[in-house]
């Protein structure tokens, strides 16, 4: 099956997005870069807990961080977001072009076992 | 932060997509419905192991299954795929329209820390 495009990267990307706090952090960073303490402010969460989420986002490539003095600033990496988006969009397109939708040779298009 | 749109659904959707086998199953189902045994065939995996992945996909809403006699047929649910796609696309769009990009007060548009 054609999932050759960086499976490990996609694992990490989708894993990072599977948590509501991490999605909230991504959401905040779409408005521009922010320090970890600014990210933590609206969340009912300790700074170390937020840092853990930031680490997961960083490992996935969705966020990059830079420390200047005592301030760690986080920035969204749109390339990673685009990669996740692309994987889903491509599957959606494949589904829309699927043989049982286009072809008329199958007796029952709701059953796919003939071609499986 | 505006992640009100069914956070639990998105948790399950992205969690389901975070596994390479489950993405391979989704990939296969973009070509049309398939029985669990047909899904298992190209994978070096037992039928119960495949069923576990199918259960996760089903719980996320990405796949629905129907059992007729002894055959369970799986079908992709494009609505769920579209929901995950939509969340990412919206964040991507927000990022492209972020204030620090639209404003002209910054010396270097590749560096976003000024507004943090």
């Amino acid at each position: 099956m054609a999932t050759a495009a960086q499976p490990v990267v996609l694992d990490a990307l989708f894993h990072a997005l599977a948590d509501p706090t991490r999605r909230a952090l991504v959401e905040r960073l779409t408005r521009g870069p922010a320090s970890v303490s600014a990210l933590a402010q609206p969340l009912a969460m300790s700074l170390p807990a937020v840092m853990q989420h930031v680490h997961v986002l960083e490992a996935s490539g969705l966020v990059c961080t830079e420390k200047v003095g005592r301030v760690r600033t986080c920035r969204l990496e749109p390339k990673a977001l685009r990669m996740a988006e692309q994987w889903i969009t491509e599957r959606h397109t494949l589904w829309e072009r699927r043989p049982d939708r286009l072809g008329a040779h199958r007796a029952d298009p709701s059953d796919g076992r003939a071609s499986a």
Side-chain angles (χ1 to χ4, degrees), chain A:
Chain A
M1 296 183 195
T3 40
Q6 295 153 301
V8 178
V9 174
L10 287 171
D11 288 7
L13 277 174
F14 289 125
H15 168 68
L17 293 175
D19 180 274
T21 301
R22 289 196 290 270
R23 287 198 305 278
L25 296 175
V26 167
E27 179 96 23
R28 165 61 190 85
L29 294 173
T30 59
R31 303 208 302 272
S35 67
V36 174
S37 47
L39 288 175
Q41 211 179 356
L43 304 170
M45 204 173 274
S46 70
L47 212 61
V50 173
M51 265 311 293
Q52 278 195 332
H53 284 300
V54 168
H55 282 317
V56 175
L57 288 167
E58 204 174 7
S60 77
L62 276 165
V63 162
C64 67
T65 76
E66 190 187 8
K67 197 168 184 180
V68 177
R70 296 185 59 165
V71 178
R72 181 172 295 278
T73 302
C74 305
R75 192 161 46 84
L76 197 65
E77 279 290 347
K79 269 187 197 171
L81 208 55
R82 201 152 44 226
M83 202 179 286
E85 187 180 19
Q86 195 178 347
W87 189 89
I88 300 178
T89 305
E90 283 175 5
R91 268 73 221 162
H92 200 194
T93 306
L94 283 171
W95 182 84
E96 285 180 335
R97 295 180 187 165
R98 68 195 183 279
D100 71 335
R101 195 177 192 189
L102 300 177
H105 61 283
R106 300 247 313 280
D108 177 11
S110 71
D111 180 274
R113 279 173 295 139
S115 63

